[in-house]
Amino acid sequence: MKAAVLVFPGSNCDRDLAVALRGAGFDVEMVWHKETALPKVDVVGVPGGFSYGDYLRCGAIAAQSPIATALKAHAEAGGYVMGVCNGCQILAETGLLPGALLRNAGLKYICKTVPLVVETADSAFTSGYAQGDTIDIPIAHHDGNYTADADTLAMLKAEDRIAFTYGDNPNGSDADIAGILSANRRVLGMMPHPERRAEAVHGGTDGAAMFTGLADALVSA
Amino acid sequence: MQEPAITPDLIAAHGLTPDEYDSILDIIGRAPTFTELGIFSAMWNEHCSYKSSKKWLRTLPTEGPQVICGPGENAGIVDIGDGQAVVFKMESHNHPSYIEPYQGAATGVGGILRDVFTMGARPIAAMNALSFGEPAHHKTRQLVHGVVEGVGGYGNCFGVPTVGGEVRFHAAYNGNCLVNAFAAGLADADKIFYSAASGVGMPVVYLGAKTGRDGVGGATMASAEFDDTIEEKRPTVQVGDPFTEKRLMEATLELMATGAVISIQDMGAAGLTCSAVEMGDKGGLGVRLDLERVPVRENAMTAYEMMLSESQERMLMVLKPELEAEAKAVFDKWDLDFAIVGETIAEDRFLIMHNGETKADLPLSKLASSAPEYDRPWVPTPAAEPLEDVPGIDPIDGLKALLASPNYCARNWVFEQYDTMVMADSACLPGTGAGVIRVHGTDKALAFTSDVTPRYVKANPEEGGKQAVAEAYRNLVSKGAKPLASTDNLNFGNPEKPEIMGQFVGAIKGIGAACAALDMPIVSGNVSLYNETDGQGILPTPTIGAVGLLNSLDDAILGDVREGHMAILVGETTGHLGQSALLAEVFNREDGDAPHVDLEAEARNGQFILDNAANINACTDLSDGGLAMAAFELAEASGVGVTLDASDTPTLFGEDQARYLIACSFDKAEALMVAAAQAGVPLTTVGRFAGSDVTLGGTSVPLAELAEVYRTTFAATFA
């Protein structure tokens, strides 16, 4: 199993995501944003951080990076993509996922561990959970307030593409959405950080199943 | 362009006294140019030269087998075994933060991070010790929001976890807030980089952000008191760009790995001037700079402005000429400015050329070494008046009053605005004494804390100085970490006043004695004087940042309190209420002496905790609010109630030192009793953790009710 983790200038959770993927058995290669091609991998991780300083708009400049074209091609060819936090914002900016992330409703940056509800187990990323499970996963963002128009929200719901919702909405997200899936269920974007809750040292391991579940799904596929 | 004439007014405006100007004339044998005057003022101001404090700083213990590099470089370096080292320092950004809270605090964080990665260490932890005026003061709310957002805005983007810090409020900070930023990094002990240049004719390379006019004269501003012209000083505050700093850090570490770096110095206070002089002086070399090569972001900058600019995110390096191409490739990759701006020279000169004109030509070693040094007159702080009678109080009412005060309520409103978990090695988050960070890729961990109790230092500078170190020691020990070393950030008022200088001298004596007794040498630090507004000084605030080592995370004391655990007090209780939190918050009194610190008892009791960590589930030190506060904190963290047997105010709220509260099972308590008897450590069972109420002296209240007050007061006061 192979994974690539993209590195943009300002990415700062790239190492953390790579560590979590390696922990689930992936060979991980870091890919610099100026590259125009991806190595042959099963999964591309788009990490958290502040790509390009989050100047202009979170994820907007990264979505125009040379590697973004290859990322879109990988997704369109049915490859797996996991975007966490800034990575989730980047996936929204590339159009791989619908909707946008606005400034938190309280206008403050929030870093804390919050309860998430697993809304669907029907994806490689969430196959390690059961629908309805509540898991504790940290958030750390200033712009995690998910928004989409009513039709998009209805579609996400109808197609069972809401992966996670917040148990206690911390940022004003529409429909309490914390993470969503693409139509083919192979692109996941989520604001919370499963890689920060993957080892005992983190105070809990609720995030580990995201990576092991993904690995298991790839092995059995 | 015509440079201004050197007049007495211009000299005074540069913060130089007539005597200091006379020494300049002696050193160079002629009148300085305008640029030279600026350079002298940058090198000789209090902030850069430590001219009032040097004499006393020399008395601090700075050595030990664990110390790889003590004060004098960008940061201190301490051995943590297995070929690794922790690199850390604490530094103030007080004056800028009061003038422009967001940028002042942000660039304070940026500056300290740069100090750490300049030495080849990747930052792994940050802390911030913040002191504000009283909550009701009209400036306080704006400062709290601005400073906290600035700290978060910079550190979160850079990607370093904030693991601890302090937030306090007192009327003495109404006109001067304190922002003390700490950073620690991890390096291989044999791959540390220093500032001393070597070799003649080596290229002096500028990298990072472009130079602008921001911060010109900032260090001089930070060496003066405030008055009603404060708004005019706003342009001396720099503007931070954490995105550039993150790239600068990655590029610097990559560049170091290529072997191209001979020496390196970040541009902090007094920018290009201080960094170039430092590199030359430490290497016994001269430096020539050609300023037209300096990357600038504004037109028509003068030599004076370029030499004094404090634009952020800049570095100066001396590189191996044969590896210039490799070096350039790294900086091109990260899209950072890179320019050769001068060279090392054999003569002892600091030669500043601009478009072919000589703007400054000074003897470099004299410029570095002959900064004035003052033995300021000082008077010892008079002994505190004895404590007046303290009326009795229902203990639950006393505890509630503390939990409902901005000084002792939970700080989650602050810490949740900081990224406390990036790098995914956080083993213990802020809010419980010390933060703990795993050493990446190992089973080891480092613990971090910052402490001082300014009201103690004011009442009794020497005991207060000791107490700051002792509390830091205890906070590390409470997590099972062996204290390794410390950094000091000494914030005081105007040192030209003998009573302020007396506070400084007393505090240094206490800090020195405690650091020696507890084997926590001072390896780095910073002094911030002139924290006064209209003649009103702050409380003396010598912040101690300290680092401890856990050889294995298995040794950490990070457990929960469980139903049925015993509450066991380590150390001796006499019920010292002078200068206590209860006295200040409930009775609005600050009288009596500070508690005295028995350093032998501190060392003995601390060692006892470390030796018996396996029998301790949870532990906290006793400090502000004494036993009652400590018991509440342990109970609240685990959601288990607590009953304390005592009911009298001195036992519950006294602030005697060298004490810890432990939670453990009955069986483990028995083992602890035996060990304590052998070690000569006083151990007392003071109550029990159980149920869902907090019971003190027969009065009960639901834990949830107290927790609600504790968790919501901060936001209710400031949000």
Side-chain angles (χ1 to χ4, degrees):
Chain A
M1 286 177 306
K2 290 198 160 62
V5 171
L6 306 187
V7 184
F8 298 93
S11 294
N12 63 27
C13 305
D14 42 335
R15 186 188 77 179
D16 309 353
L17 192 55
V19 167
L21 284 164
R22 286 191 187 109
F26 286 90
D27 286 331
V28 181
E29 191 172 332
M30 310 304 278
V31 177
W32 184 235
H33 74 118
K34 287 180 186 172
E35 300 291 334
T36 51
L38 283 164
K40 195 173 159 29
V41 292
D42 306 293
V43 180
V44 178
V46 191
F50 290 66
S51 56
Y52 297 93
D54 276 353
Y55 299 149
L56 182 60
R57 197 172 63 237
C58 302
I61 305 178
Q64 306 300 322
S65 249
I67 198 65
T69 308
L71 173 68
K72 279 185 254 184
H74 170 85
E76 280 154 15
Y80 288 92
V81 179
M82 179 181 193
V84 172
C85 198
N86 195 224
C88 177
Q89 294 163 337
I90 293 168
L91 294 181
E93 288 288 343
T94 56
L96 286 172
L97 291 173
L101 286 309
L102 305 179
R103 182 128 294 200
N104 293 343
L107 304 181
K108 298 279 188 195
Y109 183 96
I110 310 169
C111 175
K112 63 176 176 182
T113 300
V114 301
L116 300 185
V117 178
V118 179
E119 294 292 336
T120 179
D122 180 18
S123 80
F125 307 100
T126 55
S127 58
Y129 304 105
Q131 185 185 353
D133 278 357
T134 296
I135 58 176
D136 287 334
I137 304 287
I139 57 168
H141 57 244
H142 211 154
D143 301 83
N145 179 355
Y146 182 79
T147 190
D149 59 39
D151 290 349
T152 304
L153 291 171
M155 174 192 72
L156 290 173
K157 203 156 187 128
E159 296 178 3
D160 191 27
R161 285 168 56 188
I162 299 172
F164 304 102
T165 53
Y166 295 109
D168 183 11
N169 192 339
N171 55 25
S173 288
D174 283 349
D176 302 328
I177 286 173
I180 56 171
L181 294 159
S182 60
N184 71 358
R185 315 188 81 72
R186 291 188 170 200
V187 179
L188 169 73
M190 62 187 295
M191 289 307 297
H193 286 271
E195 80 280 13
R196 296 184 180 191
R197 200 81 175 174
E199 298 178 62
V201 69
H202 300 149
T205 56
D206 283 359
M210 205 104 43
F211 303 97
T212 52
L214 179 61
D216 291 348
L218 282 168
V219 168
S220 59
Chain B
M1 201 180 97
Q2 187 66 40
E3 294 198 327
I6 309 295
T7 63
D9 281 351
L10 189 74
I11 293 163
H14 279 78
L16 293 163
T17 66
D19 284 349
E20 288 171 351
Y21 183 71
D22 286 344
S23 334
I24 294 174
L25 296 180
D26 284 347
I27 289 169
I28 61 176
R30 59 177 168 80
T33 64
F34 179 56
T35 303
E36 288 171 341
L37 185 72
I39 288 171
F40 271 105
S41 97
M43 294 296 299
W44 285 12
N45 64 59
E46 187 68 55
H47 186 81
C48 295
S49 74
Y50 297 93
K51 59 192 171 190
S52 302
S53 57
K54 244 188 295 190
K55 171 187 160 79
W56 298 101
L57 295 178
R58 275 191 213 106
T59 66
L60 290 169
T62 58
E63 291 175 353
Q66 71 273 43
V67 178
I68 296 175
C69 173
E73 283 287 339
N74 284 299
I77 307 172
V78 177
D79 193 346
I80 60 167
D82 305 313
Q84 289 184 301
V86 60
V87 177
F88 64 95
K89 189 183 181 184
M90 191 172 228
E91 199 163 84
S92 61
H93 231 213
N94 304 336
H95 290 72
S97 299
Y98 192 79
I99 297 172
E100 169 53 52
Y102 185 98
Q103 293 297 346
T107 54
V109 175
I112 198 69
L113 289 169
R114 219 154 41 244
D115 278 332
V116 166
F117 71 74
T118 298
M119 305 205 72
R122 179 175 288 272
I124 57 165
M127 296 192 286
N128 292 277
L130 312 176
S131 303
F132 299 103
E134 53 196 336
H137 187 264
H138 70 276
K139 286 274 289 183
T140 301
R141 188 171 175 276
Q142 174 217 351
L143 288 171
V144 169
H145 277 262
V147 166
V148 170
E149 278 172 30
V151 166
Y154 206 100
N156 299 349
C157 177
F158 180 85
V160 63
T162 296
V163 300
E166 301 171 90
V167 186
R168 74 172 58 79
F169 302 93
H170 192 282
Y173 305 103
N174 281 350
N176 296 80
C177 65
L178 303 184
V179 174
N180 293 178
F182 169 101
L186 189 65
D188 287 340
D190 60 350
K191 294 194 186 99
I192 287 164
F193 289 80
Y194 296 96
S195 56
S198 71
V200 171
M202 294 294 168
V204 173
V205 174
Y206 170 112
L207 20 111
K210 291 177 165 53
T211 296
R213 292 192 170 92
D214 49 336
V216 172
T220 305
M221 170 275 289
S223 304
E225 290 182 37
F226 285 153
D227 52 30
D228 54 14
T229 64
I230 181 169
E231 285 299 319
E232 296 167 17
K233 297 191 168 83
R234 199 182 297 270
T236 59
V237 180
Q238 318 87 325
V239 176
D241 177 359
F243 171 58
T244 295
E245 176 113 326
K246 164 76 172 163
R247 289 183 296 145
L248 187 62
M249 185 260 294
E250 296 292 353
T252 300
L253 296 180
E254 267 187 46
L255 189 62
M256 286 168 166
T258 68
V261 178
I262 296 173
S263 78
I264 177 165
Q265 177 76 27
D266 83 302
M267 290 192 232
L272 202 46
T273 294
C274 270
S275 54
V277 170
E278 181 113 6
M279 285 174 42
D281 180 54
K282 289 215 171 112
L285 293 164
V287 173
R288 199 199 72 226
L289 297 178
D290 298 306
L291 295 184
E292 65 278 4
R293 299 188 188 173
V294 171
V296 291
R297 73 169 114 87
E298 295 178 71
N299 288 328
M301 285 189 66
T302 64
Y304 176 92
E305 288 167 336
M306 281 193 255
M307 294 308 293
L308 267 64
S309 164
E310 293 190 1
S311 290
Q312 298 288 290
E313 294 92 24
R314 301 181 301 159
M315 290 275 192
L316 209 59
M317 295 186 185
V318 177
L319 293 183
K320 290 181 185 156
E322 67 274 20
L323 292 176
E324 203 182 302
E326 283 89 336
K328 189 169 184 313
V330 170
F331 280 86
D332 286 348
K333 172 185 169 187
W334 289 96
D335 295 320
L336 288 163
D337 274 302
F338 174 100
I340 295 172
V341 296
E343 62 172 354
T344 56
I345 55 179
E347 309 98 290
D348 177 21
R349 285 169 86 184
F350 190 44
L351 185 59
I352 306 302
M353 308 295 294
H354 193 207
N355 298 324
E357 262 184 68
T358 303
K359 289 295 182 180
D361 187 355
L362 298 168
L364 189 143
S365 60
K366 279 236 165 80
L367 180 61
S369 62
S370 46
E373 181 176 332
Y374 296 124
D375 183 2
R376 302 255 188 221
W378 60 279
V379 292
T381 303
E385 296 288 328
L387 180 66
E388 306 268 329
D389 276 349
V390 179
I393 178 173
D394 179 88
I396 289 292
D397 290 345
L399 179 59
K400 263 190 192 163
L402 291 179
L403 302 180
S405 75
N407 270 315
Y408 304 108
C409 66
R411 269 81 182 95
N412 43 311
W413 184 88
V414 176
F415 291 131
E416 285 171 6
Q417 294 187 55
Y418 304 153
D419 192 337
T420 52
M421 305 179 213
V422 63
M423 303 183 91
D425 284 312
S426 299
C428 179
L429 301 179
T432 60
V436 180
I437 294 287
R438 175 176 59 182
V439 176
H440 192 70
T442 75
D443 187 39
K444 301 199 305 190
L446 293 164
F448 303 93
T449 185
S450 94
D451 298 281
V452 62
T453 311
R455 58 183 192 277
Y456 292 173
V457 187
K458 185 175 185 211
N460 186 332
E462 191 163 346
E463 292 302 323
K466 279 187 207 168
Q467 195 275 340
V469 178
E471 188 173 340
Y473 172 88
R474 293 197 302 266
N475 276 327
L476 299 175
V477 164
S478 296
K479 303 292 181 195
K482 180 180 165 37
L484 278 186
S486 35
T487 178
D488 58 350
N489 196 154
L490 308 170
N491 310 272
F492 288 81
N494 182 346
E496 294 163 41
K497 296 179 181 169
E499 57 279 16
I500 299 285
M501 204 57 211
Q503 291 176 341
F504 186 82
V505 171
I508 289 269
K509 283 185 184 167
I511 290 168
C515 286
L518 301 174
D519 192 19
M520 296 167 71
I522 300 274
V523 296
S524 57
N526 166 252
V527 180
S528 173
L529 302 174
Y530 297 97
N531 290 289
E532 297 207 0
T533 294
D534 297 332
Q536 282 297 321
I538 57 162
L539 293 182
T541 312
T543 310
I544 300 295
V547 179
L549 175 67
L550 287 143
N551 280 317
S552 164
L553 270 166
D554 293 340
D555 302 337
I557 306 173
L558 295 172
D560 289 330
V561 175
R562 303 256 168 82
E563 178 79 20
H565 273 168
M566 316 274 291
I568 295 176
L569 181 65
V570 177
E572 200 172 352
T573 300
T574 64
H576 184 98
L577 282 173
Q579 299 297 337
S580 63
L582 184 84
L583 210 56
E585 298 295 337
V586 175
F587 300 105
N588 203 18
R589 281 168 50 184
E590 290 183 22
D591 58 330
D593 196 0
H596 286 220
V597 181
D598 177 345
L599 293 169
E600 274 178 38
E602 290 285 1
R604 185 172 58 238
N605 297 355
Q607 193 58 48
F608 172 77
I609 300 283
L610 295 178
D611 290 343
N612 293 280
N615 283 325
I616 299 171
N617 282 70
C619 178
T620 182
D621 88 308
L622 268 65
S623 51
D624 295 309
L627 176 61
M629 193 68 188
F632 169 79
E633 286 176 358
L634 281 185
E636 200 269 343
S638 300
V640 178
V642 65
T643 298
L644 294 180
D645 305 328
S647 58
D648 64 296
T649 302
T651 304
L652 287 171
F653 295 99
E655 296 182 3
D656 307 292
Q657 299 295 298
R659 297 190 301 163
Y660 302 81
L661 186 65
I662 288 173
C664 67
S665 67
F666 184 80
D667 289 350
K668 288 179 170 176
E670 282 198 315
L672 287 174
M673 295 290 176
V674 173
Q678 284 169 352
V681 169
L683 213 64
T684 326
T685 303
V686 292
R688 206 162 156 266
F689 293 96
S692 55
D693 288 347
V694 173
T695 305
L696 303 179
T699 316
S700 287
V701 62
L703 173 63
E705 185 185 322
L706 294 179
E708 174 73 10
V709 172
Y710 181 61
R711 290 280 159 195
T712 58
T713 293
F714 203 100
T717 311
F718 297 104

